[in-house]
Amino acid sequence: MRCVYVIGLLGIVASLWAQQSYQAQPTDDVWYYDNAFNPGFTAILRCWGDGTHAVDPTGARPALNFSYSLAKWDLSTFRAGVTYQLLQARILVTQTQPPGYTREEGEQYPLEARDLSHTNWNEANWDYNASDNPYPGAQIFGTGSMTNYRTDAPFTIPIDLLAPDGGFEEYFHQAINTTGELGIAFVSTMDPAGQGGTRFYRFYSRNDAGGRGPLLQLVYRVAGDVNGDGCTDDADLLETLFAFGQSGSNLPPDLNGDGLVDDADLLMVLFAFGNGC
């Protein structure tokens, strides 16, 4: 019995060792809007749309009926050319108190995290009229949840980036292998009900004195890496073969997390063979 316990404990430790985490606020974020005051260094970011569209369908810069917020993160800690398996990916933004919308409106007009056309910008020299400003794309990686909604205090809006067919993992790898920066646009169809209205998203930027800016959280592993050494090789293949047929939780070779070490996990190791080495 003690031997089984030790083996199980070692499996949990190995599984946790193979997993790594990344957590950071943006290196830059801006409020993209024609009437924005101090857009680069504001402590507050804002988003709204026209009730139907989150992004101006004409492609014009956001003005009056639209407001976007842009952010980018440094991914230089990730190795170019390596394929990573994202186990969790989300952004937490903190809504200011009180929200100008009801919980039902937040669910009807959620905050969206979209792709960004490029990351060649920074808040220090942001210019609304620059001809090459980045623009939100059509890919919606995830939408905000109103689980934590409240009116008496600021609350976090989690945005799960691993929605089915959202394409975030591919976008993440593209960022690693090109600029080393991840750009995200925050937008919403929520209509503030006229100029000067209060029904829109208002959340803290990286310049907030309380450190409540958008927080990117990732849990990942090198794809196919069972033993956590950063390289998918013979050792990972052998460990998967020796564990073949086992079931339970926290099994390191259970790469797809379905509670069973089987053909699917073996194929993941084989397809990733040589990754990170």
Side-chain angles (χ1 to χ4, degrees):
M1 180 64 71
R2 180 176 296 177
C3 180
V4 172
Y5 172 78
V6 171
I7 292 175
L9 182 60
L10 289 175
I12 293 174
V13 171
S15 179
L16 294 176
W17 182 34
Q19 297 179 17
Q20 300 181 66
S21 62
Y22 168 98
Q23 178 170 290
Q25 290 192 2
T27 57
D28 300 85
D29 54 24
V30 298
W31 176 23
Y32 194 6
Y33 177 59
D34 66 341
N35 291 317
F37 43 90
N38 198 14
F41 295 99
T42 179
I44 303 294
L45 300 174
R46 300 162 174 83
C47 297
W48 66 76
D50 65 1
T52 302
H53 303 98
V55 177
D56 192 331
T58 70
R61 291 185 175 87
L64 299 181
N65 291 336
F66 296 91
S67 169
Y68 318 142
S69 291
L70 316 179
K72 66 177 183 178
W73 285 263
D74 177 20
L75 297 182
S76 60
T77 56
F78 295 89
R79 292 182 288 161
V82 174
T83 301
Y84 294 92
Q85 178 189 4
L86 292 178
L87 305 175
Q88 296 177 31
R90 68 175 183 174
I91 296 176
L92 297 177
V93 303
T94 303
Q95 167 71 48
T96 62
Q97 173 195 3
Y101 53 88
T102 65
R103 178 170 184 160
E104 291 71 25
E105 288 171 334
E107 293 170 344
Q108 183 178 2
Y109 308 106
L111 185 65
E112 301 173 359
R114 296 195 184 194
D115 62 307
L116 198 57
S117 59
H118 65 82
T119 57
N120 186 26
W121 58 277
N122 62 71
E123 65 182 43
N125 59 10
W126 176 262
D127 178 6
Y128 172 83
N129 294 306
S131 60
D132 61 345
N133 279 338
Y135 206 78
Q139 278 187 295
I140 301 175
F141 298 128
T143 57
S145 167
M146 288 290 108
T147 302
N148 303 318
Y149 181 88
R150 57 191 300 176
T151 59
D152 60 339
F155 63 90
T156 57
I157 301 176
I159 305 175
D160 181 8
L161 301 173
L162 294 183
D165 302 321
F168 179 74
E169 194 164 66
E170 181 180 353
Y171 184 70
F172 168 76
H173 281 102
Q174 181 182 14
I176 293 173
N177 294 316
T178 53
T179 62
E181 295 178 317
L182 179 75
I184 291 291
F186 297 103
V187 299
S188 176
T189 59
M190 185 178 290
D191 186 349
Q195 180 78 357
T198 61
R199 192 176 68 172
F200 57 87
Y201 286 99
R202 188 176 186 272
F203 52 98
Y204 294 105
S205 81
R206 65 180 291 270
N207 298 299
D208 167 56
R212 293 168 290 186
L215 189 65
L216 175 63
Q217 297 179 325
L218 306 174
V219 177
Y220 64 95
R221 70 194 306 164
V222 171
D225 179 21
V226 175
N227 61 10
D229 64 357
C231 170
T232 304
D233 56 11
D234 292 335
D236 304 294
L237 181 59
L238 286 173
E239 189 165 342
T240 304
L241 288 171
F242 286 143
F244 200 86
Q246 291 184 14
S247 61
S249 59
N250 298 308
L251 294 171
D254 179 20
L255 297 177
N256 62 4
D258 65 355
L260 177 66
V261 181
D262 57 9
D263 292 337
D265 304 296
L266 184 59
L267 286 174
M268 290 179 72
V269 175
L270 290 172
F271 285 142
F273 202 83
N275 182 38
C277 304

